Amino acid sequence: MKQPFFTAAKPGLYLEGVILEELNLGKMIQSIRGEKGLSIRKVATLAGITPSMLSQIENKQANPSINTLRAIAQVLEVPLYTFFQERPMESLVVHPEERRTIGSKNEPEVQYELLTPDTKGDIEFCIMVIPPYLSSFRDIGSHAGEEVAYMLSGESVELELEGHTLTMTPGDSVRIPAGSRHAWHNRTGITTQVIFAITPPSF
C-alpha cells in the first residue's frame, strides 16, 4: 500500500522522514506572505486560524497541521510543495538586517550593501553609502559590467566619469557604460546613498 506523503508524528510533522521543524517552513510562509503584501491577520482569517497561531508558525513556535498548511497555501495561492522546496523561496527576499556588506579595500569607510541575495544572477543590485568628504575610490576604477545608478539620498554627489565630472542630486539617475573609468565623490557634510545595478555582476 502506498504510504501517504505526510504523516503526523510528535514532536513535529514529518515529510518523507524529515521533521518539518528542521525546515525553514515559517520563514517560507512569512516570505511568500510578504511578497504578496498580505498581513498576518488577513492570511490567518482566510485560512481559518488565529493571527497569533500564524505568528507562532512563522516564528517556529508552533507546528502546523497538514490541513492548516493546505489552507495557508490556498490563501497564498501557491502549491503546497512550495513550502518544501530545496531552494527556499525566502532566499529571494533580502531583508535590511540580512544584507551582505561589501567592503571597499581602497576606502573601508565607504560601504556597499548587496540588495540581491547573491551575485549568481544576471544582475547585481547594491546600495553605496558614502560618508561625508569621502570617495568610492582613491584612484578612479572601472568594471566590466554596464551600470545604472540612482541617487537615493544626501545633498549631492559627484560622478567622475572618463575625465568628466557630473553632479547629481537626489532623484537623479545615470547610465555608466561598461568599462568606463569612474569614481564617486561626496564633497558634502551629509552621508550620500546611491543605488546601482550592474549587469553582468562584476563588482
Side-chain angles (χ1 to χ4, degrees), residues 14 18 22 47 51 57 63 71 75 87 94-95 101-102 129 141 143 150-151 155 164 167 170-171 183 190 203:
Y14 284 77
V18 179
E22 297 175 356
I57 291 172
N63 292 318
V75 173
R87 179 177 173 81
V94 181
H95 301 288
T101 298
I102 306 173
V129 181
H143 48 71
Y150 171 83
M151 185 176 175
E155 184 176 329
H164 299 276
T167 300
I190 301 176
F203 180 73

PDB file of all heavy atoms in Angstrom, residues 14 18 22 47 51 57 63 71 75 87 94-95 101-102 129 141 143 150-151 155 164 167 170-171 183 190 203:
ATOM      1  N   TYR A  14       6.234  15.107   9.815  1.00  0.00           N
ATOM      2  CA  TYR A  14       7.310  14.547   9.020  1.00  0.00           C
ATOM      3  C   TYR A  14       6.963  14.604   7.540  1.00  0.00           C
ATOM      4  O   TYR A  14       5.817  14.402   7.156  1.00  0.00           O
ATOM      5  CB  TYR A  14       7.561  13.078   9.407  1.00  0.00           C
ATOM      6  CG  TYR A  14       8.290  12.924  10.708  1.00  0.00           C
ATOM      7  CD1 TYR A  14       7.623  13.092  11.908  1.00  0.00           C
ATOM      8  CD2 TYR A  14       9.654  12.625  10.733  1.00  0.00           C
ATOM      9  CE1 TYR A  14       8.290  12.961  13.108  1.00  0.00           C
ATOM     10  CE2 TYR A  14      10.332  12.495  11.930  1.00  0.00           C
ATOM     11  CZ  TYR A  14       9.640  12.661  13.117  1.00  0.00           C
ATOM     12  OH  TYR A  14      10.303  12.549  14.317  1.00  0.00           O
ATOM     13  N   VAL A  18      11.546  13.625   7.134  1.00  0.00           N
ATOM     14  CA  VAL A  18      12.197  14.863   7.535  1.00  0.00           C
ATOM     15  C   VAL A  18      11.278  15.629   8.476  1.00  0.00           C
ATOM     16  O   VAL A  18      10.126  15.879   8.151  1.00  0.00           O
ATOM     17  CB  VAL A  18      12.519  15.751   6.316  1.00  0.00           C
ATOM     18  CG1 VAL A  18      13.170  17.055   6.771  1.00  0.00           C
ATOM     19  CG2 VAL A  18      13.428  15.005   5.361  1.00  0.00           C
ATOM     20  N   GLU A  22      12.817  21.080  11.169  1.00  0.00           N
ATOM     21  CA  GLU A  22      14.167  21.282  10.675  1.00  0.00           C
ATOM     22  C   GLU A  22      14.181  22.121   9.399  1.00  0.00           C
ATOM     23  O   GLU A  22      15.228  22.533   8.925  1.00  0.00           O
ATOM     24  CB  GLU A  22      14.830  19.926  10.410  1.00  0.00           C
ATOM     25  CG  GLU A  22      14.998  19.086  11.680  1.00  0.00           C
ATOM     26  CD  GLU A  22      15.544  17.711  11.379  1.00  0.00           C
ATOM     27  OE1 GLU A  22      15.722  17.393  10.181  1.00  0.00           O
ATOM     28  OE2 GLU A  22      15.783  16.950  12.325  1.00  0.00           O
ATOM     29  N   ALA A  47      -7.416  31.692   6.248  1.00  0.00           N
ATOM     30  CA  ALA A  47      -7.006  30.291   6.430  1.00  0.00           C
ATOM     31  C   ALA A  47      -7.753  29.618   7.577  1.00  0.00           C
ATOM     32  O   ALA A  47      -7.592  28.410   7.797  1.00  0.00           O
ATOM     33  CB  ALA A  47      -5.503  30.225   6.679  1.00  0.00           C
ATOM     34  N   PRO A  51      -4.543  34.971  14.137  1.00  0.00           N
ATOM     35  CA  PRO A  51      -3.289  35.664  13.820  1.00  0.00           C
ATOM     36  C   PRO A  51      -2.159  35.232  14.739  1.00  0.00           C
ATOM     37  O   PRO A  51      -1.008  35.135  14.325  1.00  0.00           O
ATOM     38  CB  PRO A  51      -3.647  37.144  14.025  1.00  0.00           C
ATOM     39  CG  PRO A  51      -5.113  37.208  13.753  1.00  0.00           C
ATOM     40  CD  PRO A  51      -5.650  35.925  14.335  1.00  0.00           C
ATOM     41  N   ILE A  57       3.597  30.095  13.991  1.00  0.00           N
ATOM     42  CA  ILE A  57       4.084  29.209  12.928  1.00  0.00           C
ATOM     43  C   ILE A  57       5.265  29.863  12.213  1.00  0.00           C
ATOM     44  O   ILE A  57       6.291  29.231  11.968  1.00  0.00           O
ATOM     45  CB  ILE A  57       2.960  28.897  11.918  1.00  0.00           C
ATOM     46  CG1 ILE A  57       1.885  28.026  12.563  1.00  0.00           C
ATOM     47  CG2 ILE A  57       3.528  28.194  10.675  1.00  0.00           C
ATOM     48  CD1 ILE A  57       0.648  27.834  11.715  1.00  0.00           C
ATOM     49  N   ASN A  63       3.916  23.996  15.443  1.00  0.00           N
ATOM     50  CA  ASN A  63       3.935  23.122  14.275  1.00  0.00           C
ATOM     51  C   ASN A  63       2.535  23.074  13.658  1.00  0.00           C
ATOM     52  O   ASN A  63       1.583  22.658  14.316  1.00  0.00           O
ATOM     53  CB  ASN A  63       4.357  21.706  14.662  1.00  0.00           C
ATOM     54  CG  ASN A  63       5.809  21.654  15.094  1.00  0.00           C
ATOM     55  OD1 ASN A  63       6.663  22.284  14.483  1.00  0.00           O
ATOM     56  ND2 ASN A  63       6.081  20.917  16.161  1.00  0.00           N
ATOM     57  N   ALA A  71      -4.483  25.103   3.939  1.00  0.00           N
ATOM     58  CA  ALA A  71      -5.305  26.310   3.978  1.00  0.00           C
ATOM     59  C   ALA A  71      -4.454  27.556   3.727  1.00  0.00           C
ATOM     60  O   ALA A  71      -4.846  28.453   2.976  1.00  0.00           O
ATOM     61  CB  ALA A  71      -6.013  26.419   5.332  1.00  0.00           C
ATOM     62  N   VAL A  75      -4.600  30.280   0.532  1.00  0.00           N
ATOM     63  CA  VAL A  75      -4.705  31.728   0.708  1.00  0.00           C
ATOM     64  C   VAL A  75      -3.566  32.442  -0.024  1.00  0.00           C
ATOM     65  O   VAL A  75      -3.782  33.481  -0.667  1.00  0.00           O
ATOM     66  CB  VAL A  75      -4.678  32.105   2.205  1.00  0.00           C
ATOM     67  CG1 VAL A  75      -4.605  33.618   2.377  1.00  0.00           C
ATOM     68  CG2 VAL A  75      -5.890  31.538   2.918  1.00  0.00           C
ATOM     69  N   ARG A  87      15.444  24.720  -2.553  1.00  0.00           N
ATOM     70  CA  ARG A  87      15.957  26.086  -2.601  1.00  0.00           C
ATOM     71  C   ARG A  87      14.880  26.975  -2.016  1.00  0.00           C
ATOM     72  O   ARG A  87      13.914  27.312  -2.690  1.00  0.00           O
ATOM     73  CB  ARG A  87      16.279  26.525  -4.034  1.00  0.00           C
ATOM     74  CG  ARG A  87      16.804  27.956  -4.119  1.00  0.00           C
ATOM     75  CD  ARG A  87      17.172  28.314  -5.535  1.00  0.00           C
ATOM     76  NE  ARG A  87      17.525  29.716  -5.668  1.00  0.00           N
ATOM     77  CZ  ARG A  87      18.698  30.218  -5.360  1.00  0.00           C
ATOM     78  NH1 ARG A  87      19.646  29.423  -4.909  1.00  0.00           N
ATOM     79  NH2 ARG A  87      18.957  31.497  -5.508  1.00  0.00           N
ATOM     80  N   VAL A  94      15.548  39.824   0.405  1.00  0.00           N
ATOM     81  CA  VAL A  94      16.637  40.296   1.263  1.00  0.00           C
ATOM     82  C   VAL A  94      16.083  41.354   2.203  1.00  0.00           C
ATOM     83  O   VAL A  94      15.687  42.437   1.766  1.00  0.00           O
ATOM     84  CB  VAL A  94      17.791  40.897   0.425  1.00  0.00           C
ATOM     85  CG1 VAL A  94      18.915  41.363   1.347  1.00  0.00           C
ATOM     86  CG2 VAL A  94      18.319  39.876  -0.571  1.00  0.00           C
ATOM     87  N   HIS A  95      16.025  41.035   3.488  1.00  0.00           N
ATOM     88  CA  HIS A  95      15.572  41.997   4.477  1.00  0.00           C
ATOM     89  C   HIS A  95      16.745  42.901   4.872  1.00  0.00           C
ATOM     90  O   HIS A  95      17.901  42.481   4.813  1.00  0.00           O
ATOM     91  CB  HIS A  95      15.019  41.264   5.697  1.00  0.00           C
ATOM     92  CG  HIS A  95      13.864  40.360   5.369  1.00  0.00           C
ATOM     93  ND1 HIS A  95      12.614  40.835   5.048  1.00  0.00           N
ATOM     94  CD2 HIS A  95      13.789  39.004   5.294  1.00  0.00           C
ATOM     95  CE1 HIS A  95      11.809  39.822   4.798  1.00  0.00           C
ATOM     96  NE2 HIS A  95      12.495  38.700   4.935  1.00  0.00           N
ATOM     97  N   THR A 101      27.301  43.020   3.448  1.00  0.00           N
ATOM     98  CA  THR A 101      28.060  44.257   3.292  1.00  0.00           C
ATOM     99  C   THR A 101      29.354  43.968   2.560  1.00  0.00           C
ATOM    100  O   THR A 101      30.119  43.078   2.932  1.00  0.00           O
ATOM    101  CB  THR A 101      28.372  44.883   4.663  1.00  0.00           C
ATOM    102  OG1 THR A 101      27.138  45.205   5.317  1.00  0.00           O
ATOM    103  CG2 THR A 101      29.181  46.165   4.502  1.00  0.00           C
ATOM    104  N   ILE A 102      29.580  44.714   1.495  1.00  0.00           N
ATOM    105  CA  ILE A 102      30.796  44.557   0.709  1.00  0.00           C
ATOM    106  C   ILE A 102      31.715  45.716   1.042  1.00  0.00           C
ATOM    107  O   ILE A 102      31.393  46.869   0.797  1.00  0.00           O
ATOM    108  CB  ILE A 102      30.497  44.569  -0.802  1.00  0.00           C
ATOM    109  CG1 ILE A 102      29.440  43.515  -1.133  1.00  0.00           C
ATOM    110  CG2 ILE A 102      31.768  44.348  -1.610  1.00  0.00           C
ATOM    111  CD1 ILE A 102      28.958  43.576  -2.570  1.00  0.00           C
ATOM    112  N   VAL A 129      26.976  53.572   0.320  1.00  0.00           N
ATOM    113  CA  VAL A 129      26.847  54.592   1.354  1.00  0.00           C
ATOM    114  C   VAL A 129      28.193  55.298   1.485  1.00  0.00           C
ATOM    115  O   VAL A 129      29.186  54.692   1.895  1.00  0.00           O
ATOM    116  CB  VAL A 129      26.438  53.968   2.704  1.00  0.00           C
ATOM    117  CG1 VAL A 129      26.274  55.061   3.760  1.00  0.00           C
ATOM    118  CG2 VAL A 129      25.152  53.165   2.561  1.00  0.00           C
ATOM    119  N   GLY A 141      38.453  53.896 -10.999  1.00  0.00           N
ATOM    120  CA  GLY A 141      38.460  52.500 -11.431  1.00  0.00           C
ATOM    121  C   GLY A 141      37.353  52.201 -12.419  1.00  0.00           C
ATOM    122  O   GLY A 141      36.566  53.081 -12.791  1.00  0.00           O
ATOM    123  N   HIS A 143      34.802  48.639 -14.177  1.00  0.00           N
ATOM    124  CA  HIS A 143      34.409  47.228 -14.097  1.00  0.00           C
ATOM    125  C   HIS A 143      33.770  46.844 -15.425  1.00  0.00           C
ATOM    126  O   HIS A 143      33.363  47.700 -16.217  1.00  0.00           O
ATOM    127  CB  HIS A 143      33.472  46.973 -12.918  1.00  0.00           C
ATOM    128  CG  HIS A 143      32.341  47.948 -12.811  1.00  0.00           C
ATOM    129  ND1 HIS A 143      31.285  47.976 -13.691  1.00  0.00           N
ATOM    130  CD2 HIS A 143      32.106  48.952 -11.925  1.00  0.00           C
ATOM    131  CE1 HIS A 143      30.444  48.925 -13.342  1.00  0.00           C
ATOM    132  NE2 HIS A 143      30.921  49.547 -12.283  1.00  0.00           N
ATOM    133  N   TYR A 150      21.255  55.395  -9.257  1.00  0.00           N
ATOM    134  CA  TYR A 150      20.201  56.321  -8.844  1.00  0.00           C
ATOM    135  C   TYR A 150      20.592  56.908  -7.500  1.00  0.00           C
ATOM    136  O   TYR A 150      20.871  56.163  -6.548  1.00  0.00           O
ATOM    137  CB  TYR A 150      18.872  55.575  -8.738  1.00  0.00           C
ATOM    138  CG  TYR A 150      17.747  56.368  -8.110  1.00  0.00           C
ATOM    139  CD1 TYR A 150      16.997  57.263  -8.875  1.00  0.00           C
ATOM    140  CD2 TYR A 150      17.429  56.214  -6.764  1.00  0.00           C
ATOM    141  CE1 TYR A 150      15.953  57.983  -8.299  1.00  0.00           C
ATOM    142  CE2 TYR A 150      16.390  56.935  -6.182  1.00  0.00           C
ATOM    143  CZ  TYR A 150      15.654  57.820  -6.952  1.00  0.00           C
ATOM    144  OH  TYR A 150      14.628  58.528  -6.386  1.00  0.00           O
ATOM    145  N   MET A 151      20.653  58.230  -7.396  1.00  0.00           N
ATOM    146  CA  MET A 151      20.991  58.858  -6.118  1.00  0.00           C
ATOM    147  C   MET A 151      19.754  58.863  -5.231  1.00  0.00           C
ATOM    148  O   MET A 151      18.752  59.520  -5.532  1.00  0.00           O
ATOM    149  CB  MET A 151      21.511  60.275  -6.310  1.00  0.00           C
ATOM    150  CG  MET A 151      21.977  60.877  -4.987  1.00  0.00           C
ATOM    151  SD  MET A 151      22.708  62.504  -5.166  1.00  0.00           S
ATOM    152  CE  MET A 151      22.969  62.919  -3.430  1.00  0.00           C
ATOM    153  N   GLU A 155      22.979  65.292  -0.122  1.00  0.00           N
ATOM    154  CA  GLU A 155      22.856  66.641  -0.675  1.00  0.00           C
ATOM    155  C   GLU A 155      23.190  66.638  -2.162  1.00  0.00           C
ATOM    156  O   GLU A 155      22.392  67.050  -3.000  1.00  0.00           O
ATOM    157  CB  GLU A 155      23.796  67.588   0.075  1.00  0.00           C
ATOM    158  CG  GLU A 155      23.688  69.044  -0.358  1.00  0.00           C
ATOM    159  CD  GLU A 155      24.574  69.947   0.478  1.00  0.00           C
ATOM    160  OE1 GLU A 155      24.800  69.638   1.675  1.00  0.00           O
ATOM    161  OE2 GLU A 155      25.047  70.967  -0.059  1.00  0.00           O
ATOM    162  N   HIS A 164      35.248  63.461 -17.090  1.00  0.00           N
ATOM    163  CA  HIS A 164      34.197  64.466 -16.928  1.00  0.00           C
ATOM    164  C   HIS A 164      33.613  64.359 -15.519  1.00  0.00           C
ATOM    165  O   HIS A 164      33.603  63.287 -14.916  1.00  0.00           O
ATOM    166  CB  HIS A 164      33.083  64.262 -17.958  1.00  0.00           C
ATOM    167  CG  HIS A 164      33.549  64.386 -19.375  1.00  0.00           C
ATOM    168  ND1 HIS A 164      33.673  65.591 -20.026  1.00  0.00           N
ATOM    169  CD2 HIS A 164      33.927  63.435 -20.273  1.00  0.00           C
ATOM    170  CE1 HIS A 164      34.107  65.404 -21.247  1.00  0.00           C
ATOM    171  NE2 HIS A 164      34.273  64.088 -21.429  1.00  0.00           N
ATOM    172  N   THR A 167      27.470  66.193 -11.711  1.00  0.00           N
ATOM    173  CA  THR A 167      26.919  66.412 -10.370  1.00  0.00           C
ATOM    174  C   THR A 167      25.478  65.919 -10.325  1.00  0.00           C
ATOM    175  O   THR A 167      24.660  66.254 -11.185  1.00  0.00           O
ATOM    176  CB  THR A 167      26.960  67.903 -10.000  1.00  0.00           C
ATOM    177  OG1 THR A 167      28.322  68.359 -10.036  1.00  0.00           O
ATOM    178  CG2 THR A 167      26.404  68.125  -8.602  1.00  0.00           C
ATOM    179  N   PRO A 170      19.558  64.078  -5.227  1.00  0.00           N
ATOM    180  CA  PRO A 170      18.573  63.013  -5.020  1.00  0.00           C
ATOM    181  C   PRO A 170      17.497  62.975  -6.106  1.00  0.00           C
ATOM    182  O   PRO A 170      16.932  64.005  -6.476  1.00  0.00           O
ATOM    183  CB  PRO A 170      17.986  63.358  -3.650  1.00  0.00           C
ATOM    184  CG  PRO A 170      19.117  64.006  -2.931  1.00  0.00           C
ATOM    185  CD  PRO A 170      19.797  64.839  -3.988  1.00  0.00           C
ATOM    186  N   GLY A 171      17.273  61.806  -6.644  1.00  0.00           N
ATOM    187  CA  GLY A 171      16.290  61.618  -7.705  1.00  0.00           C
ATOM    188  C   GLY A 171      16.916  61.499  -9.077  1.00  0.00           C
ATOM    189  O   GLY A 171      16.272  61.024 -10.014  1.00  0.00           O
ATOM    190  N   ALA A 183      34.491  57.224 -10.649  1.00  0.00           N
ATOM    191  CA  ALA A 183      34.565  57.243  -9.195  1.00  0.00           C
ATOM    192  C   ALA A 183      33.484  58.178  -8.671  1.00  0.00           C
ATOM    193  O   ALA A 183      33.057  59.111  -9.370  1.00  0.00           O
ATOM    194  CB  ALA A 183      35.944  57.701  -8.725  1.00  0.00           C
ATOM    195  N   ILE A 190      27.030  65.664   4.388  1.00  0.00           N
ATOM    196  CA  ILE A 190      25.902  64.752   4.598  1.00  0.00           C
ATOM    197  C   ILE A 190      26.179  63.407   3.919  1.00  0.00           C
ATOM    198  O   ILE A 190      26.655  63.368   2.782  1.00  0.00           O
ATOM    199  CB  ILE A 190      24.608  65.361   4.022  1.00  0.00           C
ATOM    200  CG1 ILE A 190      24.314  66.703   4.702  1.00  0.00           C
ATOM    201  CG2 ILE A 190      23.427  64.404   4.194  1.00  0.00           C
ATOM    202  CD1 ILE A 190      23.109  67.429   4.118  1.00  0.00           C
ATOM    203  N   PHE A 203      31.075  43.564  -9.732  1.00  0.00           N
ATOM    204  CA  PHE A 203      31.591  44.432  -8.690  1.00  0.00           C
ATOM    205  C   PHE A 203      32.443  43.644  -7.698  1.00  0.00           C
ATOM    206  O   PHE A 203      32.060  42.554  -7.312  1.00  0.00           O
ATOM    207  CB  PHE A 203      30.440  45.115  -7.957  1.00  0.00           C
ATOM    208  CG  PHE A 203      30.878  46.024  -6.861  1.00  0.00           C
ATOM    209  CD1 PHE A 203      31.456  47.239  -7.149  1.00  0.00           C
ATOM    210  CD2 PHE A 203      30.749  45.634  -5.546  1.00  0.00           C
ATOM    211  CE1 PHE A 203      31.879  48.088  -6.133  1.00  0.00           C
ATOM    212  CE2 PHE A 203      31.161  46.477  -4.526  1.00  0.00           C
ATOM    213  CZ  PHE A 203      31.728  47.699  -4.827  1.00  0.00           C
TER     214      PHE A 203
END
